[in-house]
Amino acid sequence: MTDPPPKESGYLLLWRSLKDNPIWREMPYSTCKLWLWILMDAKWKTVGPLQPGQLNHSFSFICEAMEWTDVEKHKTRTPSHHTVRAGLQRLKDDGCIEFVSDKRGATLITV
């Protein structure tokens, strides 16, 4: 009889509709939020030129997707392009993603 896997292993089912939840909109930007968004937005099947595990957006679109509402100040906050690029670079350095930007401003991300 084999031992059961440790509780830390395995996977977590994450609904893509989490992005539509008000709690998501109140969560400030972090590299973790960016990572979760990438996982939720990545294609799960081939769609046009995108393969499973890929997404393609401009930095402006990604920054807008990372917006959050500061409920105490009643303001919407958006991270800068520099902040998002640093988050993508961190995820790349950690081996979570690969990404490449083209001259038109589109960024292809592969999980």
Side-chain angles (χ1 to χ4, degrees):
M1 184 168 168
T2 61
D3 292 332
K7 290 183 181 182
E8 296 84 25
S9 69
Y11 64 92
L12 170 72
L13 181 63
L14 182 65
W15 292 104
R16 295 173 192 268
S17 63
L18 174 65
K19 295 184 292 185
D20 302 326
N21 189 296
I23 293 171
W24 179 263
R25 295 282 305 151
E26 294 172 11
M27 185 188 315
Y29 172 81
S30 67
T31 303
C32 182
K33 182 176 181 177
L34 177 61
W35 176 223
L36 289 172
W37 178 81
I38 289 169
L39 292 174
M40 290 185 287
D41 202 63
K43 302 302 177 220
W44 61 274
K45 66 178 183 175
T46 301
V47 178
L50 297 177
Q51 298 299 310
Q54 292 185 319
L55 56 152
N56 193 14
H57 295 300
S58 68
F59 268 95
S60 296
F61 183 89
I62 298 169
C63 290
E64 287 178 25
M66 293 294 98
E67 279 183 350
W68 75 94
T69 303
D70 186 333
V71 292
E72 292 178 8
K73 297 182 180 179
H74 303 288
K75 289 183 118 178
T76 300
R77 307 269 185 198
T78 307
S80 68
H81 286 216
H82 174 77
T83 299
V84 169
R85 180 174 284 284
L88 289 173
Q89 189 62 51
R90 165 78 191 276
L91 292 170
K92 182 177 182 177
D93 292 346
D94 289 348
C96 300
I97 65 167
E98 290 293 326
F99 76 95
V100 61
S101 298
D102 65 20
K103 293 177 183 177
R104 298 173 296 141
T107 300
L108 175 66
I109 302 169
T110 303
V111 178

